[in-house]
Amino acid sequence: MLSACGVAACLALPSGATAQELGLAHWVPGTHPLQTLGMEPWAASIAEASQGRITITIFPAQQLGAAADHYDMARDGIADIGFINPGYQPGRFPIIAAAELPFLFANAKGGAAALTEWYDAYAEQEMGDVYFCMALLHDPGTFHGKQPIVVPEDVRGKNVRPANATQARFVNLLGGASIQVSAPEMREVLSKGAADITQAPWESLYIFGADTLVTHHLDAPIYGSINAFVMNKALVEGMSPEDRAVIDDHCTPEWAERMSAGWADVEAAGRDKIAADPAHTLHRPNEEQMELWHQAAAPLTEEWKQAMAGTGLDADEVLNGLIAALQAHDSYAGDQ
């Protein structure tokens, strides 16, 4: 448990001011770069901007509940702020699931700003029972297995721990079986033989203790796993105008990029670490092999459009808006 007082040296409150201590729940380790390089500076900035009226205590590693429950925890006030992966609840958030489609993100930094900017227009419709703060993503992830993975056929017949619901469907299209558990559980399913392959960004293999279990890696950016910070809506709406302004100022595309930046750099560096380890083998697909991956992923877009039918939105317009936002932030993989 880490209080923003410990990060920001707890500013003295002005006379007559009241303090709020908010609980931020997440499900990665407390040593994760998302906390040390993202959440802690964010919490310190909020404490400073509010002159100590708002402090944040961080509860890492599923202390307050399972990874998949963090949205409902924020909605219900179990946590004031929840770090969520919408893809851990298949079918519940079809709009933001557009960003789970493969081969969209060239990088996480501009990508997080673009994602937040794009989704802000839809958040009230899809996540209206919470206050949507910002969306995040990690450096693009890939497949890591116990045997070589070069082409889509290499996934056929394998048990795979996917990153989210869309990637689970991708695994099924490839002829694999999805073992859908959260990132903190990937080591367990790999070590017990329940999974042969996992999806993850590179450094996460070390963070979650899977680096000794998967030694073959598809050296290609396949997907971005989408995350977000959401807050209890009644809490935010009940804040004073001054405190609400502080929160609004810290829930922006610019803060999404800052929150993702350190995490992205650490994950990207994990690739170099793995490449330098003789126990690991990176398999980089050539142009023809990469085209096979793109062809295999193509049905996912049509399936996503069908899932959008109940939203009342034009799916093409939604997806094109995401691509345009990524292009504006130099983070669309199709332009690379």
Side-chain angles (χ1 to χ4, degrees):
M1 185 166 70
L2 174 63
S3 169
C5 292
V7 178
C10 263
L11 303 172
L13 288 172
S15 177
T18 58
Q20 285 185 297
E21 184 179 7
L22 309 185
L24 188 165
H26 69 83
W27 39 266
V28 298
T31 55
H32 194 285
L34 181 59
Q35 174 167 327
T36 59
L37 302 177
M39 299 178 199
E40 291 176 16
W42 183 71
S45 180
I46 287 174
E48 181 177 8
S50 67
Q51 296 183 290
R53 295 188 306 275
I54 306 172
T55 60
I56 295 174
T57 299
I58 300 175
F59 297 88
Q62 304 185 96
Q63 288 182 22
L64 299 187
D69 295 335
H70 276 53
Y71 180 91
D72 293 330
M73 287 160 50
R75 181 196 63 191
D76 298 339
I78 297 170
D80 300 306
I81 309 166
F83 174 66
I84 69 168
N85 183 327
Y88 285 173
Q89 297 191 43
R92 185 173 183 181
F93 305 106
I95 301 173
I96 203 169
E100 296 176 357
L101 293 171
F103 311 117
L104 283 174
F105 292 93
N107 60 73
K109 297 178 184 179
L115 184 60
T116 299
E117 185 179 282
W118 162 78
Y119 189 65
D120 193 57
Y122 304 108
E124 183 62 27
Q125 174 175 343
E126 185 162 77
M127 298 187 184
D129 46 7
V130 296
Y131 171 91
F132 170 75
C133 178
M134 69 181 95
L136 306 174
L137 72 152
H138 54 61
D139 190 62
T142 188
F143 288 95
H144 312 273
K146 299 176 181 179
Q147 298 176 338
I149 309 165
V150 185
V151 294
E153 189 65 22
D154 293 330
V155 178
R156 184 173 299 280
K158 303 295 195 305
N159 292 332
V160 183
R161 179 260 156 193
N164 52 49
T166 301
Q167 290 301 308
R169 179 57 187 148
F170 190 24
V171 167
N172 297 151
L173 288 174
L174 298 175
S178 297
I179 310 298
Q180 196 161 1
V181 299
S182 65
E185 299 170 273
M186 77 166 77
R187 176 180 172 78
E188 181 178 3
V189 295
L190 288 166
S191 65
K192 290 183 175 179
D196 312 295
I197 297 170
T198 188
Q199 287 187 317
W202 296 91
E203 181 65 21
S204 283
L205 296 178
Y206 294 97
I207 291 171
F208 295 107
D211 56 292
T212 61
L213 302 174
V214 285
T215 56
H216 293 272
H217 314 273
L218 179 65
D219 191 11
I222 300 295
Y223 73 95
S225 190
I226 308 309
N227 303 111
F229 282 101
V230 297
M231 299 181 65
N232 180 266
K233 194 167 190 176
L235 170 77
V236 175
E237 291 181 345
M239 287 180 168
S240 68
E242 294 81 8
D243 288 350
R244 174 64 185 266
V246 169
I247 295 300
D248 289 343
D249 287 345
H250 284 80
C251 292
T252 63
E254 293 76 20
W255 263 108
E257 183 166 353
R258 290 177 65 179
M259 186 77 81
S260 294
W263 184 19
D265 288 341
V266 169
E267 293 286 9
R271 181 197 172 279
D272 296 334
K273 189 190 304 186
I274 288 174
D277 187 339
H280 292 265
T281 305
L282 275 63
H283 304 275
R284 174 166 290 186
N286 59 33
E287 187 174 337
E288 291 77 15
Q289 292 164 338
M290 202 65 221
E291 180 58 26
L292 293 176
W293 287 103
H294 281 273
Q295 291 174 4
L300 291 171
T301 300
E302 291 306 314
E303 290 188 2
W304 169 76
K305 289 180 180 180
Q306 292 173 16
M308 283 286 290
T311 67
L313 298 171
D314 184 306
D316 288 316
E317 182 178 328
V318 170
L319 182 56
N320 289 338
L322 173 58
I323 291 172
L326 290 170
Q327 289 174 323
H329 288 271
D330 298 319
S331 53
Y332 177 51
D335 290 340
Q336 305 301 304

